[in-house]
Amino acid sequence: MPKLKTRKAASKRYKVTGNGNFLRRHAFKDHLLIKKSNKQKRKLSQVICVSKNDSNVIKLMLPY
């Protein structure tokens, strides 16, 4: 059985927690920040957990 390869794009975007959940960053925090309020930018800076439906796909991308 050959080794499974890790998707490098996924490994750069997601971190695994101790419970096996995945953490991700918010979108829309890259550019065009002048028109966004400070409250919105502060909320977008927070790290959140990936939903259960998406975590099944990410587990396939990050086998190890």
Side-chain angles (χ1 to χ4, degrees):
M1 186 84 180
K3 289 163 117 181
L4 297 174
K5 289 194 172 182
T6 300
R7 301 280 178 114
K8 291 300 185 177
S11 66
K12 293 171 188 173
R13 286 170 173 82
Y14 303 107
K15 301 287 183 240
V16 184
T17 62
N19 293 333
N21 297 329
F22 294 99
L23 297 177
R24 69 170 178 89
R25 293 178 54 206
H26 280 278
F28 308 112
K29 184 75 174 29
D30 194 22
H31 66 295
L32 301 176
L33 297 175
I34 293 174
K35 60 177 76 172
K36 295 179 178 113
S37 66
N38 288 334
K39 179 181 177 182
Q40 183 182 6
K41 289 186 279 192
R42 193 167 53 244
K43 292 283 187 180
L44 292 176
S45 296
Q46 296 175 353
V47 178
I48 58 171
C49 287
V50 174
S51 66
K52 296 288 184 185
N53 297 330
D54 294 332
S55 63
N56 294 332
V57 178
I58 297 171
K59 281 181 187 173
L60 295 175
M61 292 188 212
L62 302 172
Y64 303 109

